Amino acid sequence: NAGVTQTPKFQVLKTGQSMTLQCAQDMNHNSMYWYRQDPGMGLRLIYYSASEGTTDKGEVPNGYNVSRLNKREFSLRLESAAPSQTSVYFCASSDRAGDEQFFGPGTRLTVL
Amino acid sequence: DQQVKQNSPSLSVQEGRISILNCDYTNSMFDYFLWYKKYPAEGPTFLISISSIKDKNEDGRFTVFLNKSAKHLSLHIVPSQPGDSAVYFCAASGWGGATNKLIFGTGTLLAVQP
């Protein structure tokens, strides 16, 4: 039971490049989330998917797109990376509203 | 506008003593509060939660207190251990309807000195 897995663990991009961060959960959870963590800013929600087939914007969605591929997988895409997107990205999942969220180990992204 | 605030960026405590981490919130619609613990290079892990219908929840060495009138919650760790050294985030939900969106504070770095 791996929980929430994320790939890659580390990535360096040049400004303007694109990439997709992958996330998968094996807990049969309905809801999935993408956060970014920056120093002094806590965890900020980028996008979330309350259930398979739905996605919604969070607090900081600009510059990102998401795809809920199936119940297990939720990907985050940067179409044209910018230095302001240098951050640590966390994926999380939860079963029901009000339940705790389970987090993946994170992806450390640097945009030069 | 920070809806969940952790005003102490860091806290240092001696091993065996009590650690008290504080969190304030502004949105009275929040009805569920959680604490997460985060070690470096790892994802946050759930620690303890409390519903707005309670004012205290205990789990071993960890107790969370909720003061709804003051819009304040605190996490008590007794006794503190060196392994408790981590960043602690408080989070709140309930705003926005049925979707399980959490609003996180900025975190408090706890250092427990041996």
Side-chain angles (χ1 to χ4, degrees), chain B residues 61-77:
Chain B
R61 297 186 297 114
F62 302 91
T63 303
V64 56
F65 295 92
L66 176 62
N67 182 333
K68 288 185 290 294
S69 60
K71 294 193 181 69
H72 177 83
L73 65 155
S74 60
L75 174 69
H76 293 209
I77 306 174

Side-chain angles (χ1 to χ4, degrees), chain A residues 31 33 35 37 40-43 45 48 50 57 90 94 96-106 108, chain B residues 2 32 34 36 38 41-46 49 87 89 93 97-107:
Chain A
S31 303
Y33 313 82
Y35 293 89
Q37 186 196 5
M41 302 292 287
L43 289 154
L45 183 65
Y48 66 100
K57 295 178 181 179
F90 290 101
S94 67
R96 302 171 301 173
D99 283 359
E100 67 269 19
Q101 294 178 12
F102 294 82
F103 283 79
R108 185 173 293 274
Chain B
Q2 196 79 25
Y32 188 61
L34 307 88
Y36 281 82
K38 185 184 179 306
E42 294 184 12
T45 54
F46 170 74
S49 64
V87 176
F89 291 100
S93 73
T99 55
N100 186 15
K101 290 197 295 186
L102 296 183
I103 308 297
F104 284 86
T106 52

